[in-house]
């Protein structure tokens, strides 16, 4: 019954959002991409400001605080292998005389593209910096009250260079517009922990079940079925190769997608090296649909990720809420700026219930029209929460923008898209609780039935806070009963800051390092023999998993 109610709530939310906001355009995804082939780039779609309509604030209300999350700007292809692999494929085919005349022309273009991208994989392009100059300038001009005098601006970034440079571009433009601003900039593993909540370096306790999603047999089979139904590379291969088809050692779909990546990335690099003529409009759309399908299930509301994406996004939304409340207490003009990645912005927009970001569909054919990555997280995608106040009233109003478009929510409001912060915050806390409950971590293959899991590096209990481990030590999770049998081990005694406990219950312990599970061992008050090996595992493992059986009440 509970599951049915939750599903009905999600369905109702989607219907209300659709009714409030209406469609972003009357076109389906295929029509949109045919009309603007740049959108076939998906997350490579270069940010475009289209001067959206703005609803004036209610009379007497002025902005005083902005909370922001922005994706880095346009970049070169993410990995060096995206250049070298396609070059190696064409080079080998050329040496074997397998390329057609057209294929030889494409090889020369591939060589130029690889030369342009050499040593730049994943780097911010000049266009990427320009995008953030523009967003910062429009923010300043739209809300000058937030940036007057020596207002505080706190900017945070992940440790990835393209994000740091995006932060620098944004902050530099703000400072040029008001040199008196007090701007601080931070980028370290602490900020990365919530700005890029999928980072295993900053969050070593991520569930292996989620990290290995794309390696699972079920995922591989589902994606391959979808790719075969969409991508038909025969026409392209016939143009590229002298024999009318790809040599036996070449995967035609893989090569098609590699060339697609070079084609759509040109809008970000502005190199002038075009590959767009290799594809028909339908072929561009087909590759985009396959990439969009993957993002939907890996980072969006797709069922295949079992709710993990939204569960991990709760850390960022909780940080956003906490900082907003602190800003309200201070009561002075200020802004919090955050710079991260598309993979984090995608589940965040779903968690925040943005239009076009929340649809849960089981039919793969419906994903493209229900969830479009080029709308959700193009290069330099951003979320802006603008807080307003009025003298003589305690009500704080908030207006939220997604890529500078106003968002509407199923909340009572005298003048949407302006909502009371108390209502919006309560709405998001319910969304957070639901995301955490939906993605309750299931036992791994070696866990006894009915066991409760405690994940090392981030030890937590359902509904409780999380505690970081320091130097491999596990801090006490907020269990309703703290009689943790493994406190016999000195390292646990130190971390838990408690004395050894006399507990008769037996526990089964497994641990994992580099996503590999090791055999379980049993320990009890009478048999703590495995403690030394467990202590060593805690010191060296990226992820320690402890299964308590029977679970604590």
């Amino acid at each position: 019954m509970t599951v049915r109610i939750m599903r009905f709530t999600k369905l109702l939310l989607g219907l209300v959002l659709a009714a409030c906001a209406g469609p972003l355009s009357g076109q389906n995804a295929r029509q949109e991409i045919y009309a603007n082939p740049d959108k076939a780039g998906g997350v490579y779609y270069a940010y475009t400001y289209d001067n959206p309509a703005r609803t004036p604030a209610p009379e007497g209300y002025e902005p005083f605080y902005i909370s922001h999350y922005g994706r880095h700007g346009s970049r070169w292809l993410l990995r060096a292998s995206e250049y070298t692999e396609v070059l190696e494929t064409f080079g080998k085919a050329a040496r074997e005389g397998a390329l057609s005349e057209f294929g030889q022309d494409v090889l020369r273009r591939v060589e130029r593209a690889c030369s342009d991208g050499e040593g730049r994989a994943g780097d911010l392009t000049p266009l990427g910096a320009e995008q953030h100059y523009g967003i910062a300038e429009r923010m300043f001009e739209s809300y000058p009250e937030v940036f007057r005098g020596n207002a505080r601006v706190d900017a945070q970034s992940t440790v990835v260079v393209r994000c740091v440079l995006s932060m620098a571009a944004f902050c530099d433009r703000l400072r040029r517009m008001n040199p008196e601003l007090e701007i601080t900039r931070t980028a370290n593993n602490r900020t990365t922990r919530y700005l890029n909540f999928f980072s295993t370096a900053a969050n070593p306790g991520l569930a292996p079940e989620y990290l290995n999603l794309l390696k699972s047999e079920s995922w591989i089979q589902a994606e391959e079925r979808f790719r075969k139904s969409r991508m038909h590379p025969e026409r392209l291969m016939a143009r590229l190769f002298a024999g009318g088809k790809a040599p036996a050692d070449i995967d035609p779909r893989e090569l098609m997608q590699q060339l697609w990546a070079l084609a759509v990335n040109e809008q970000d690099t502005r190199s002038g090296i075009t590959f767009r003529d290799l594809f028909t409009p339908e072929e561009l759309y087909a590759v985009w649909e396959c990439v969009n399908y993957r993002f939907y299930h890996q980072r969006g509301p797709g069922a295949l990720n079992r709710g993990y994406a939204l569960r991990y996004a709760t850390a960022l939304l909780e940080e956003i809420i906490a900082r907003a409340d602190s800003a309200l207490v201070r009561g002075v003009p200020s802004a919090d700026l955050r710079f991260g990645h598309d993979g984090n912005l995608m589940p965040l927009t779903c968690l925040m219930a943005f239009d076009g970001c929340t649809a849960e569909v089981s039919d793969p054919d419906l994903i493209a029209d229900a969830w479009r990555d080029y709308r959700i997280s193009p290069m330099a995608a951003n979320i802006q929460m603008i807080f307003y106040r009025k003298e003589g009233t305690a009500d704080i109003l908030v207006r939220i923008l997604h890529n500078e478009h106003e968002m509407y929510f199923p909340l009572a409001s005298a003048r949407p898209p302006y909502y009371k912060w108390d209502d919006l915050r309560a709405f998001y806390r319910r969304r957070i609780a639901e995301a955490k409950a939906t993605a309750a971590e299931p036992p791994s293959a070696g866990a006894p039935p009915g066991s409760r899991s405690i994940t090392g590096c981030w030890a937590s209990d359902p509904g409780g806070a999380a505690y970081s481990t320091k130097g491999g030590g596990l801090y006490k999770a907020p269990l309703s009963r703290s009689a943790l049998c493994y406190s016999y081990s000195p390292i646990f005694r130190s971390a838990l800051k408690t004395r050894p406990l006399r507990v008769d219950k037996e526990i089964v312990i497994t641990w994992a390092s580099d996503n590999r599970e090791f055999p379980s061992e049993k320990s009890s008050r009478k048999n703590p023999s495995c403690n030394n090996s467990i202590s060593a595992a805690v010191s060296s493992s990226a992820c320690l998993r402890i299964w308590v059986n029977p679970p604590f009440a």
Side-chain angles (χ1 to χ4, degrees), residues 420-431:
K420 291 183 180 180
W421 174 234
D422 287 345
D423 295 340
L424 195 60
R425 177 177 49 202
F427 173 65
Y428 282 145
R429 283 177 174 166
R430 291 193 298 272
R431 299 275 295 170

Side-chain angles (χ1 to χ4, degrees), residues 56-89:
E59 185 178 356
Y61 278 88
E62 289 191 353
F64 72 100
Y65 170 66
I66 294 176
S67 182
H68 155 279
Y69 185 94
R71 184 193 178 194
H72 58 76
S74 287
R75 57 164 168 77
W76 275 272
L77 293 180
L78 185 59
R79 300 176 183 85
S81 61
E82 294 181 79
Y83 294 103
T84 57
E85 288 179 1
V86 67
L87 181 60
E88 289 170 1
T89 297

Side-chain angles (χ1 to χ4, degrees), residues 294-314:
R294 171 177 280 222
F295 275 124
Y296 176 76
H297 281 297
Q298 185 187 18
R299 303 297 198 216
L304 292 182
N305 75 54
R306 300 208 324 257
Y308 276 114
L310 266 65
R311 173 189 177 184
Y312 291 136
T314 60

Side-chain angles (χ1 to χ4, degrees), residues 166-200:
S166 295
M167 173 176 67
F170 201 107
C171 293
D172 287 350
R173 182 51 55 101
L174 290 179
R175 191 179 294 281
R176 285 189 181 187
M177 300 185 80
N178 178 8
E180 296 181 13
L181 289 173
E182 294 185 2
I183 301 177
T184 58
R185 311 179 197 187
T186 310
N188 52 41
N189 269 345
R190 181 175 293 181
T191 58
T192 300
R193 187 173 298 148
Y194 48 85
L195 296 179
N196 182 7
F197 37 82
F198 295 125
S199 167
T200 54

Side-chain angles (χ1 to χ4, degrees), residues 11 132 152 205 290 326 403 421 454:
L11 175 61
H132 283 287
R152 179 194 68 84
C290 291
S326 295
N403 297 332
W421 174 234
I454 307 170

Side-chain angles (χ1 to χ4, degrees), residues 524-542:
S524 69
R525 180 173 61 83
K526 298 179 181 179
N527 180 28
S529 60
C530 67
N531 285 334
N532 290 336
S533 58
I534 294 171
S535 299
V538 173
S539 300
S540 62
S541 295

Side-chain angles (χ1 to χ4, degrees), residues 330-472:
R330 289 192 302 270
V332 296
S334 62
D336 286 314
L337 310 176
R338 305 168 184 85
F339 298 86
H341 306 266
D342 57 348
N344 306 107
L345 194 141
M346 287 175 179
L348 180 61
T349 59
C350 181
L351 185 62
M352 295 180 74
F354 289 180
D355 182 42
C357 303
T358 62
E360 297 181 32
V361 295
S362 56
D363 185 345
D365 293 340
L366 302 180
I367 292 174
D369 290 332
W371 195 90
R372 310 179 197 182
D373 57 1
Y374 56 81
R375 288 182 174 182
I376 297 169
S377 192
M379 295 293 184
N382 58 92
I383 296 170
Q384 300 177 33
M385 302 175 68
I386 303 95
F387 288 69
Y388 296 77
R389 63 187 172 189
K390 178 180 179 179
E391 188 173 352
T393 178
D395 287 339
I396 301 296
L397 300 184
V398 183
R399 182 170 63 119
I400 299 183
L401 308 180
H402 177 211
N403 297 332
E404 299 179 79
H405 286 257
E406 295 175 338
M407 293 290 104
Y408 293 79
F409 304 95
L411 299 173
S413 173
R415 189 165 186 177
Y418 294 84
Y419 301 91
K420 291 183 180 180
W421 174 234
D422 287 345
D423 295 340
L424 195 60
R425 177 177 49 202
F427 173 65
Y428 282 145
R429 283 177 174 166
R430 291 193 298 272
R431 299 275 295 170
I432 288 170
E434 182 178 324
K436 289 182 176 180
T438 302
E441 186 176 337
S444 67
S451 296
R452 165 179 294 176
S453 101
I454 307 170
T455 303
C457 302
W458 285 103
S460 65
D461 191 41
Y467 294 80
S468 170
T469 61
K470 298 182 179 180

